[in-house]
Amino acid sequence: MDAKHKAKTSQRIKQRKEHMNYDTQLATTETQIADPIVRHKTNLALAKAVRDSVEQETIEVCGQRYIKNPGWLIMAGAAGYVVSGGEVKREGEGFIAKADLRRSDNGVIVAEAEGFCSKDERRWKHADEYAVRSMAQTRAASKVCKMALAACVPLMGIKNLSATPADEVPPGGFQDINTDKFEEPSPVS
């Protein structure tokens, strides 16, 4: 065999090994998705890995702790995801923003969410338009992370930690919301 032929053969062997490694990774990923025990252990490991960092990115409102946007982004990054901002549209006195959560290794979308912010909200009544628009994007980013990663929140063992993103909490907490206007759902027959 000449040197040129050896190099081609070596390159083909290397490509086969890479392909086999990729197939093994896919099979491992599929097993992780299909097996609830593996998924739960993965969530436990993620919760343990990010606990201290996420705890630093919380706020307390009326005795309940809520994760701020950077905390959700820490969780997403540790899980191998990245948030991708999407379209922002004006609606009334506010904005609706879209966000995707993508796997960082291949860009596959694992969750989608929308966030809304309006000048009708007390906190945003006198805010500049760019700030209202930006908060809609922040809320979308936090929400999309929450949708995929909320199962990890109780596994962190942080007292009174809620999976509701901090960006969605009214200034006085949820006790300010009039729940009398909501009706109990009828039982399904």
Side-chain angles (χ1 to χ4, degrees), residues 36-140:
I37 294 170
V38 172
R39 278 196 319 260
H40 184 67
K41 286 182 179 180
T42 301
N43 287 345
L44 280 169
L46 177 62
K48 183 179 179 181
V50 300
R51 182 192 191 286
D52 293 340
S53 297
V54 169
E55 188 170 24
Q56 296 300 310
E57 295 298 336
T58 63
I59 61 167
E60 186 172 329
V61 180
C62 299
Q64 191 73 33
R65 299 204 67 75
Y66 299 95
I67 302 170
K68 297 185 297 185
N69 180 267
W72 286 110
L73 296 178
I74 288 167
M75 289 176 65
Y81 300 134
V82 63
V83 174
S84 175
E87 181 180 28
V88 181
K89 289 183 179 178
R90 177 178 285 288
E91 182 167 305
E93 289 293 311
F95 293 92
I96 293 178
K98 294 184 179 185
D100 298 328
L101 190 65
R102 298 174 181 267
R103 286 182 44 174
S104 20
D105 61 348
N106 62 14
V108 170
I109 295 173
V110 296
E112 299 173 320
E114 291 182 347
F116 179 73
C117 187
S118 171
K119 286 192 171 224
D120 291 338
E121 298 174 48
R122 246 185 318 175
R123 158 69 178 91
W124 299 100
K125 190 171 192 75
H126 301 291
D128 290 332
E129 187 172 288
Y130 79 88
V132 177
R133 180 184 169 103
S134 181
M135 180 49 71
Q137 292 172 307
T138 299
R139 288 177 176 174

